[in-house]
Amino acid sequence: MKLSIVGIGPGGQDYILPLAQKILADADIIIGYNYYFQFIEHALKSDCECIGKELTEEEARAALAVNKCEKGKHVVVISSGDAGIYAMASLVYQYASTQPDKDIELQTIPGISAFIASAAKLGAPLGHDFCCISLSDLMTPWVTIEKRIHAAATGDF
């Protein structure tokens, strides 16, 4: 049983890393936010099963991915940008840890985050220490986000 969490970049084929494309081409089942499939369809084998979910269903995607794992199958969860940033990968690992009876080979494949792609278009704005804070309150309470913003502002980034 193999389960990969793949960052597909900020949108467009040019931003999907070659390693991510290789993993996508090997997938038997891909689970992700409906909107993201348009960016990867070129890389998929013809018999790949694609399961789309809505934007706020991250925890359901993680559980579905782990539950779909079976011997001889490669399940992939896709995330925009980098799956390790903003929690998609951590949700999958967390849910997988609650299923000790499944011997799942887990891996995370990095992706290019939108903040890095945007910075490159601007030139070199991240040339020194910087801080990246998600302003999404889908999975993090706004009070926590405000504390992080304040801490970053006082941290002289």
Side-chain angles (χ1 to χ4, degrees), residues 29-137:
I29 301 169
I30 296 187
I31 299 165
Y33 172 41
N34 288 313
Y35 180 75
Y36 298 157
F37 285 97
Q38 67 182 314
F39 303 116
I40 64 164
E41 59 191 0
H42 70 279
L44 307 181
K45 58 187 178 184
S46 60
D47 63 343
C48 181
E49 178 184 358
C50 296
I51 303 171
K53 293 286 186 186
E54 294 304 316
L55 184 59
T56 58
E57 296 180 301
E58 290 79 9
E59 290 176 347
R61 276 184 255 152
L64 180 61
V66 170
N67 293 332
K68 283 280 189 181
C69 285
E70 57 186 63
K71 192 173 181 92
K73 293 288 183 183
H74 186 179
V75 178
V76 172
V77 176
I78 56 172
S79 173
S80 66
D82 180 278
I85 299 176
Y86 311 132
M88 195 63 234
S90 61
L91 284 173
V92 174
Y93 277 79
Q94 182 179 16
Y95 188 79
S97 74
T98 69
Q99 307 296 314
D101 56 315
K102 289 196 167 213
D103 185 23
I104 301 172
E105 179 187 337
L106 277 167
Q107 67 175 345
T108 303
I109 306 302
I112 299 169
S113 185
F115 79 88
I116 293 179
S118 299
K121 288 189 178 283
L122 289 172
L126 304 177
H128 295 286
D129 292 338
F130 67 94
C131 182
C132 181
I133 301 169
S134 172
L135 301 179
S136 171
D137 63 354

